[in-house]
Amino acid sequence: MAAHQDKRPSEERKHKSTQNDPRTPQVQWGRAWEVDWFSLASILFLLAFAPLIVYYFIMSCDQYQCSLIDPLIELLTGNKHLSDIWNKTPMLTYRAAGIYTLWVTFQVFLYVFIPDFCHKFLPGYVGGVQEGAITPAGVVNKYEINGLQAWIITHVLWFANAYYFHWFSPTIIFDNWIPLLWCANILGYAVSTFAMIKSYFFPTNAKDCKFTGNFFYDYMMGIEFNPRIGKWFDFKLFFNGRPGIVAWTLINLSYAAKQQELYDQVTNSMILVNVLQGIYVLDFFWNEAWYLKTIDICHDHFGWYLGWGDCVWLPYLYTLQGLYLVYHPVQLCTANAIGILMLGLIGYYIFRMTNHQKDLFRRTNGNCKIWGKKPEYIECSYMSVDGTKYYSKLMTSGFWGWARHFNYTGDLMGSLAYCLTCGFEHILPYFYIVYMTILLIHRCIRDEHRCFSKYGKDWKRYTAAVPYRLIPGIF
Ligand code: NDP
């Protein structure tokens, strides 16, 4: 098969013959990542502290009006003990456990049992059965893309309840926020641990497992590439989008409902958060098929980072602005509101257009127009684990000629806009932009490490042609 696909000149075949040499960086693509001391230290830090960080933020809002400093001062001055804070923290309740179980079960039901019908009547929407990217073992997985449908059904039911059925209060999420945190943690740890055990005893595809030999690294970053139960229940697709991202907009709606209940009004800042983050979430589901080609799905293995991160970190920390606005209802002046809206929309435009340009370029194999011209690119090659040689292209036109990750720049502009809606009284709402900056810079470096190990010298040619990562001329 390798010989059949390898139709390039002898110089490139010589390149292929070095593939089993461990000194050749390309052999590391998608597997055998070396666990250096920095990665290990970061992993241990995150495993130990990420759950505490989430608890600290949510507790600060619940007990200290979203001040991150006051609990520290009280603890350091001896005014309060850890036990005082813990004793005031709402515990797990049967009600929260019931709500959460129903929620996750409903999302599993929508994912597994309702095939997509949106693509049949929404022009331009790509849903139904779609193929993912090729894995290092040379497998191409099929996915049922029905996230938009799940989002629509869930939200129609939410509004039907709020305005017609009144089965439960629209503030239900806010009212049970900390008890639900314990439920999300239980699911996050359970699914990560299950994924680890599964990878040893019944992996979906043994050739796509990555064992580094370091227990903590394997638990955190995952061993199995695409763990599945049955033919269709894909852990990464499910946990990446549902239940966390479907919940994102509902959580914000619940915060808006709480503002209405407490202050008899919904502030323009809360509306901005709901609108800007709503666009981001809808964009995610509209482009769910495209997300099959992003790092989360096509490069990351499934472990605690994705499992716990999607269940706890994302719904709790990505929604801090709305939570903050329940405690501090900021009413922005019109000029500020418009300025923030523009920043959010321009950021979104850059994020979407950059992603779209790469998608169009890759789908048409470069036979398209970017900003009215035929795109320029660098030809590159790589090998799968069985030694088969593949060819690819790295575009150097459009936003991809400005910087190597201009999509992240747009994402960061949008993230900053969410934070600015909250004014400048507290630092808590700004956690998101700080976190996203660290996440995306780290992701950039991780991706470039991977691309270098995949494309070798071709990647170097690309970085010489596009020397900046996020901001042209600066970084
Ligand atoms: P990208 O969409 O930028 O994908 C990177 C991959 O694209 C590379 O690994 C490489 O893959 C390919 N590639 C790189 N350069 C080029 C080029 N010049 N031409 C063609 N292909 C290229 O990264 P992500 O998957 O991380 O991000 C997708 C989106 O999701 C981004 O907009 C990001 O902002 C967003 N995001 C949001 C997060 C959040 O929490 N809100 C978290 C993470 C991402 P290949 O191997 O195919 O060559």
Side-chain angles (χ1 to χ4, degrees):
M1 186 183 172
H4 174 69
Q5 296 202 14
D6 191 1
K7 291 180 182 139
R8 287 273 160 150
S10 56
E11 198 189 23
E12 287 194 1
R13 270 189 239 124
K14 204 165 76 201
H15 187 63
K16 174 186 168 185
S17 69
T18 66
Q19 286 305 301
N20 291 327
D21 179 348
R23 286 164 303 176
T24 309
Q26 239 174 329
V27 83
Q28 286 196 350
W29 174 50
R31 52 190 56 244
W33 179 286
E34 284 158 36
V35 186
D36 57 273
W37 70 267
F38 181 74
S39 304
L40 187 60
S42 318
I43 280 163
L44 291 176
F45 175 83
L46 282 175
L47 279 172
F49 292 107
L52 285 179
I53 293 172
V54 178
Y55 169 72
Y56 189 81
F57 274 87
I58 304 305
M59 177 281 296
S60 300
C61 282
D62 187 45
Q63 298 186 28
Y64 292 89
Q65 296 283 310
C66 296
S67 166
L68 289 178
I69 314 286
D70 288 355
L72 272 183
I73 294 176
E74 294 229 292
L75 286 172
L76 291 174
T77 54
N79 270 355
K80 280 253 170 86
H81 298 291
L82 280 178
S83 57
D84 299 325
I85 291 180
W86 182 249
N87 290 338
K88 273 182 79 180
T89 302
M91 291 292 121
L92 179 63
T93 58
Y94 282 117
R95 180 170 163 74
I99 295 168
Y100 198 74
T101 309
L102 196 66
W103 167 251
V104 177
T105 311
F106 184 55
Q107 290 307 315
V108 171
F109 171 77
L110 293 177
Y111 174 55
V112 177
F113 296 107
I114 315 230
D116 187 70
F117 57 80
C118 287
H119 69 279
K120 295 192 176 151
F121 63 88
L122 285 175
Y125 171 67
V126 181
V129 178
Q130 299 294 326
E131 286 189 346
I134 187 155
T135 73
V139 176
V140 176
N141 283 305
K142 284 193 161 62
Y143 296 83
E144 173 69 42
I145 297 297
N146 58 1
L148 182 67
Q149 171 176 285
W151 186 89
I152 293 172
I153 294 174
T154 307
H155 283 71
V156 165
L157 285 175
W158 175 273
F159 281 107
N161 170 70
Y163 290 103
Y164 186 69
F165 294 116
H166 308 294
W167 291 320
F168 54 85
S169 160
T171 62
I172 189 169
I173 303 177
F174 177 88
D175 295 338
N176 292 278
W177 202 216
I178 295 185
L180 286 171
L181 174 63
W182 308 132
C183 303
N185 268 286
I186 291 170
L187 181 66
Y189 278 97
V191 77
S192 320
T193 309
F194 177 75
M196 176 113 181
I197 295 168
K198 180 177 172 325
S199 61
Y200 277 96
F201 296 105
F202 48 105
T204 304
N205 186 332
K207 280 194 180 165
D208 265 325
C209 287
K210 182 180 75 173
F211 293 93
T212 65
N214 184 299
F215 173 82
F216 295 107
Y217 187 91
D218 286 353
Y219 183 69
M220 169 125 177
M221 298 310 287
I223 297 172
E224 265 205 87
F225 196 34
N226 292 300
R228 285 188 170 200
I229 290 182
K231 199 173 164 204
W232 292 108
F233 189 84
D234 185 90
F235 279 52
K236 262 200 277 186
L237 189 66
F238 179 76
F239 284 100
N240 194 38
R242 298 59 87 53
I245 301 189
V246 176
W248 189 345
T249 30
L250 291 187
I251 295 165
N252 281 341
L253 286 170
S254 183
Y255 292 153
K258 195 69 194 177
Q259 258 201 352
Q260 180 67 39
E261 183 187 291
L262 292 174
Y263 312 107
D264 266 340
Q265 64 155 339
V266 178
T267 60
N268 58 4
S269 53
M270 179 68 93
I271 293 171
L272 270 176
V273 167
N274 270 267
V275 168
L276 290 175
Q277 295 189 347
I279 292 172
Y280 195 76
V281 168
L282 254 178
D283 176 276
F284 174 87
F285 286 117
W286 183 270
N287 295 292
E288 198 180 17
W290 165 81
Y291 267 89
L292 296 178
K293 307 285 161 69
T294 65
I295 294 173
D296 281 342
I297 301 283
C298 72
H299 304 317
D300 282 345
H301 290 238
F302 187 84
W304 185 86
Y305 176 76
L306 289 181
W308 181 87
D310 291 334
C311 289
V312 181
W313 188 269
L314 188 150
Y316 277 83
L317 295 190
Y318 284 28
T319 57
L320 278 179
Q321 290 80 30
L323 181 64
Y324 175 87
L325 292 171
V326 173
Y327 294 92
H328 301 270
V330 173
Q331 187 65 30
L332 297 160
C333 70
T334 310
N336 284 355
I338 291 175
I340 291 169
L341 180 66
M342 292 316 291
L343 176 69
L345 292 180
I346 292 170
Y348 171 71
Y349 174 78
I350 292 174
F351 161 85
R352 176 51 31 225
M353 281 317 291
T354 314
N355 289 328
H356 170 70
Q357 286 179 352
K358 187 187 84 176
D359 185 45
L360 180 68
F361 172 78
R362 280 281 169 92
R363 263 191 296 119
T364 59
N365 197 23
N367 294 316
C368 59
K369 292 238 162 116
I370 301 289
W371 291 346
K373 284 193 275 187
K374 241 187 125 32
E376 292 174 5
Y377 53 82
I378 285 173
E379 293 259 18
C380 43
S381 65
Y382 64 97
M383 300 263 184
S384 66
V385 76
D386 62 0
T388 310
K389 190 164 191 168
Y390 295 92
Y391 296 94
S392 190
K393 294 182 173 78
L394 293 166
M395 177 165 60
T396 54
S397 291
F399 285 126
W400 294 87
W402 287 16
R404 299 200 290 273
H405 270 110
F406 211 60
N407 48 350
Y408 291 0
T409 311
D411 209 345
L412 289 174
M413 288 167 68
S415 307
L416 180 63
Y418 311 157
C419 302
L420 289 172
T421 57
C422 298
F424 297 104
E425 214 183 308
H426 283 280
I427 51 172
L428 179 134
Y430 288 85
F431 167 81
Y432 189 67
I433 182 66
V434 174
Y435 163 73
M436 282 299 283
T437 307
I438 297 170
L439 174 92
L440 292 178
I441 289 177
H442 177 250
R443 200 176 172 94
C444 205
I445 293 166
R446 215 157 52 94
D447 184 48
E448 300 208 341
H449 176 96
R450 196 195 63 83
C451 286
F452 175 62
S453 63
K454 181 174 176 182
Y455 297 124
K457 62 179 178 7
D458 294 334
W459 181 255
K460 285 207 157 169
R461 286 199 293 135
Y462 171 61
T463 56
V466 185
Y468 294 100
R469 284 177 164 136
L470 294 180
I471 308 172
I474 298 176
F475 174 68

